[in-house]
Amino acid sequence: MKRMTALLHVPLCLTALVSGQFAQGAISTPGSISPGLAVPPAVPREAVNHIKTATPQLVTRTNPATGGLARKRHKGKTGGSSLARISAVNRAATLNAESAPFQRALEIMPYAEGAIYDLHAAPERITDILLEPGEVLASVACGDTSRWIIGDTSSGSGEGKRVHILVKPSSPNLATNLLITTDRRSYHVNLRSNAHVATTAMSWSYPNDALLALTNNSSSRTAPSMSTRLAPERLNFNYVISGDRPRWRPVRAFDDGQKTYIEFSQSIATDEAPPLFLISGKDAELVNYRMQGRFYIVDRLFTQAELRLGTKRSTTVVIRRTDEGLTKGSSRP
């Protein structure tokens, strides 16, 4: 590990502003130590008076019916319903280890813009967040830099150089968030600590990028406008993969509102490809699909399907679409 920098967090408050002191943002940039405190120029007295008198909480008006004073309290713009909606949206957009495939101890999350990723950490253990090879780190911002240690390092060289974000909590039962920005995308991560169990490493897969690469390599006759239709915000990962665990078991399934995509590992190039059946009640119907690279592309949506291979005792993998969350779903036992 090249470095591990503990960042300090000092809250911004009115008292500090008036006294001429404030803390800069808790942001760590690659290869640098987070800035300390800075002292801005003195605040003019007129500005201080404006701060003290601006945005009153009470509005006093004359009540013509009684000749007295009527006092009306301002209502906040953010009501309980708005907060409940934000909370519900955040929960729906969160992906966790229950819906993510693992490659040994490496947790692999499907990347989607706007998604939130849960990460579990523990004191005295380093959790490694890996970016895509060749992806350049711009900055890392943490909500609680007094109790979480955040650092970065890299491995490899050239086009295969890979950035690692290193995370370690100071104690259990902590929760905060992490924002990672790069030259390609941004990542929103929820950090949670417990006493003993920590994620060893977490990275992402990029199904939209993989499909666009396939589109660019295919002829315009077979995929005339797929690259224009595949928008990240339209991808739906609400699929659960269960059943047997052969070498060709899919990594994940998702759809773009019109077509369903089933992604396999690289081994599908040498393994026997299983046929796909749509399931309706007790009936199984063989469905047409085409294979591009390591993807099955089905020109329709479905609720449940099965991949079957073998005759006497077939190996079966079930793919089921769920309605839970906005981007949840992938592979789980």
Side-chain angles (χ1 to χ4, degrees), residues 135-323:
E135 192 169 10
V136 179
L137 178 64
S139 66
V140 179
C142 182
D144 180 357
T145 55
S146 63
R147 296 180 295 179
W148 291 80
I149 301 174
I150 312 295
D152 69 88
T153 186
S154 63
S155 62
S157 60
E159 294 181 357
K161 186 176 181 180
R162 198 165 193 182
V163 174
H164 301 252
I165 310 298
L166 309 177
V167 176
K168 186 176 76 169
S170 60
S171 62
N173 303 319
L174 301 178
T176 188
N177 70 317
L178 192 70
L179 172 62
I180 303 169
T181 59
T182 74
D183 63 335
R184 299 177 184 175
R185 53 187 70 90
S186 59
Y187 304 86
H188 297 270
V189 182
N190 279 340
L191 301 179
R192 306 179 189 278
S193 69
N194 62 85
H196 304 292
V197 180
T199 302
T200 299
M202 183 179 77
S203 68
W204 287 268
S205 63
Y206 306 92
N208 189 61
D209 293 351
L211 283 170
L212 290 179
L214 287 173
T215 302
N216 293 334
N217 292 333
S218 61
S219 66
S220 59
R221 183 180 70 257
T222 57
S225 59
M226 187 186 300
S227 60
T228 60
R229 290 198 305 267
L230 281 176
E233 64 272 11
R234 295 180 59 184
L235 296 181
N236 168 36
F237 293 91
N238 299 345
Y239 290 82
V240 173
I241 300 176
S242 59
D244 297 330
R245 306 186 70 88
R247 275 173 45 90
W248 48 261
R249 177 177 166 126
V251 176
R252 66 184 53 83
F254 56 95
D255 69 71
D256 63 0
Q258 295 179 336
K259 295 179 173 62
T260 304
Y261 304 87
I262 303 172
E263 182 183 359
F264 296 86
S265 65
Q266 296 291 351
S267 65
I268 195 65
T270 56
D271 290 337
E272 185 177 0
L276 181 68
F277 297 85
L278 296 190
I279 305 301
S280 178
K282 296 182 179 180
D283 299 328
E285 174 188 357
L286 187 64
V287 64
N288 292 327
Y289 60 89
R290 62 185 180 274
M291 190 169 187
Q292 281 188 255
R294 54 193 177 95
F295 289 87
Y296 278 9
I297 302 178
V298 186
D299 291 324
R300 56 169 293 180
L301 305 180
F302 57 77
T303 301
Q304 183 169 326
E306 291 183 357
L307 293 163
R308 299 177 181 178
L309 190 61
T311 52
K312 291 184 178 180
R313 187 190 180 280
S314 63
T315 301
T316 303
V317 175
V318 180
I319 303 172
R320 181 171 55 86
R321 189 178 67 197
T322 69
D323 294 326

